[in-house]
C-alpha cells in the first residue's frame, strides 16, 4: 500500500521511491502471544538470515532460535514488539538489565562511566534479537522496532552481545545505528562476545559521543 499525495508520512523517501513504512504497523505483544507466534517468528528468523546452506543446517538454526526464544520468554520483564503488514515483517525482543551491573561483568577493561550510570538508573534494556525480513527500507523498520521496544520500558540504551563469528548480525546492527562498545567474556564461552549499544534520544547519544574521552570505572569484582 502506497500513501497518496498529501498524506502524512514519517519522512520523505529517498531517491523518489514511495515509502513502505506507511504500511508497516508496530504492535507490542505479551509473552503468551509471543509463544503463539513462535512458529512465525522462527520462519522470520530463517528469512532474515538469508541462509543459503543445506536444509539440515536451516532446520538446526530454526530450532536453536526457538530454544533461545523460549528461554527469553521466561525471563522477568520480557517484552516484544512486532512489525506487520498483511504478514509478519519484523520483531525485536529482550528484557531489562538489572541495575547491579552483573550483566556487564566480564567486560574487557573498564566500563565507561556513562554506561554505568545508565545501568544503575535502570535505563538499559538488553535486546536479544532484532529480526527484519529482507525488503526495501529494512533499516527504518529495524530502527522503529528498536525505539518502540526501548521507549515502552522507559529505557535510554539498548545493549546486546554478539558472537564475533556472526558477521551477518554484526553488520546488520551497525547499519541500524548500533555502536561497538568492547568485548565481554562469559565463563561458559571460549571466546569474547562483542558488546554493542543503541542510544535512544539525542541526550543519550550525546552522552555516548564522548566514550573515547569518558572517565572509566570498574564494577566491583
Amino acid at each position: 500500500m502506497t500513501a497518496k499525495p498529501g498524506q502524512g508520512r514519517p519522512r520523505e523517501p529517498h531517491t523518489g521511491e514511495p515509502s513502505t513504512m506507511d504500511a508497516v504497523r508496530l504492535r507490542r505483544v505479551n509473552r503468551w502471544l509471543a509463544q503463539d507466534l513462535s512458529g512465525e517468528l522462527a520462519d522470520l528468523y530463517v528469512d532474515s538470515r538469508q541462509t543459503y546452506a543445506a536444509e539440515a543446517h536451516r532446520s538446526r538454526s530454526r530450532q536453536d532460535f526457538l530454544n533461545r526464544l523460549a528461554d527469553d520468554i521466561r525471563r522477568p520483564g520480557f517484552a516484544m514488539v512486532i512489525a506487520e503488514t498483511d504478514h509478519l515483517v519484523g520483531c525485536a525482543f529482550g528484557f531489562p538489565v538489572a541495575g547491579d551491573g552483573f550483566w556487564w561483568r566480564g567486560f574487557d577493561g573498564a566500563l565507561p562511566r556513562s554506561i554505568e550510570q545508565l545501568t544503575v538508573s535502570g535505563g538499559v534494556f538488553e535486546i536479544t534479537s532484532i529480526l527484519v525480513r529482507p525488503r526495501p527500507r529494512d533499516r527504518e523498520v529495524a530502527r522503529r522496532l528498536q525505539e518502540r521496544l526501548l521507549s515502552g520500558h522507559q529505557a535510554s540504551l539498548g545493549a546486546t552481545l554478539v558472537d564475533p563469528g556472526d558477521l551477518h548480525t554484526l553488520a546488520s546492527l551497525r547499519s541500524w545505528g548500533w555502536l561497538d562498545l568492547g568485548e565481554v567474556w562469559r565463563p561458559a564461552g571460549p571466546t569474547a562476545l562483542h558488546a554493542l549499544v543503541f542510544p535512544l534520544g539525542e541526550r543519550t547519544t550525546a552522552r555516548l559521543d564522548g566514550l573515547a574521552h569518558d572517565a572509566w570505572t570498574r564494577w566491583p569484582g
Side-chain angles (χ1 to χ4, degrees):
M1 181 175 68
T2 304
K4 297 179 181 179
Q7 287 184 329
R9 56 181 66 176
R11 65 178 69 180
E12 288 298 320
H14 297 294
T15 67
E17 295 179 356
S19 173
T20 62
M21 290 305 301
D22 294 332
V24 175
R25 302 179 301 276
L26 299 188
R27 179 160 60 103
R28 296 181 62 84
V29 299
N30 58 33
R31 64 181 69 238
W32 296 280
L33 184 52
Q35 289 175 328
D36 292 340
L37 292 172
S38 60
E40 293 179 60
L41 292 169
D43 292 340
L44 174 65
Y45 171 78
V46 173
D47 289 346
S48 70
R49 302 289 297 183
Q50 294 181 300
T51 303
Y52 298 101
E55 187 62 32
H57 176 74
R58 291 167 62 91
S59 297
R60 287 196 301 272
S61 297
R62 189 178 193 277
Q63 188 58 51
D64 289 344
F65 169 79
L66 286 170
N67 294 340
R68 294 195 301 272
L69 175 63
D71 289 341
D72 282 354
I73 286 175
R74 290 192 289 267
R75 290 179 179 270
F78 170 84
M80 175 182 287
V81 176
I82 62 173
E84 55 191 350
T85 52
D86 57 344
H87 62 282
L88 189 65
V89 298
C91 76
F93 57 89
F95 43 86
V97 170
D100 59 7
F102 182 81
W103 194 89
W104 294 108
R105 292 193 177 174
F107 187 81
D108 188 7
L111 194 69
R113 185 173 297 168
S114 57
I115 301 295
E116 179 193 15
Q117 292 169 345
L118 286 169
T119 303
V120 170
S121 66
V124 181
F125 188 93
E126 179 179 4
I127 301 182
T128 55
S129 286
I130 307 165
L131 308 175
V132 180
R133 199 179 302 277
R135 55 176 291 154
R137 308 180 73 80
D138 61 351
R139 182 180 302 181
E140 291 188 26
V141 177
R143 182 171 290 275
R144 285 183 59 191
L145 283 167
Q146 296 164 172
E147 292 177 349
R148 178 68 65 86
L149 186 59
L150 293 177
S151 63
H153 274 263
Q154 298 182 333
S156 302
L157 188 73
T160 195
L161 298 176
V162 181
D163 187 297
D166 192 349
L167 301 181
H168 172 91
T169 297
L170 287 171
S172 295
L173 290 173
R174 289 162 180 158
S175 73
W176 296 337
W178 288 73
L179 307 173
D180 289 277
L181 184 63
E183 295 183 332
V184 174
W185 292 86
R186 289 289 191 252
T191 60
L193 301 173
H194 281 301
L196 298 95
V197 293
F198 179 82
L200 180 65
E202 295 181 1
R203 182 176 179 180
T204 305
T205 301
R207 292 178 69 176
L208 296 186
D209 279 344
L211 279 178
H213 308 287
D214 199 0
W216 299 77
T217 187
R218 290 186 182 274
W219 290 97

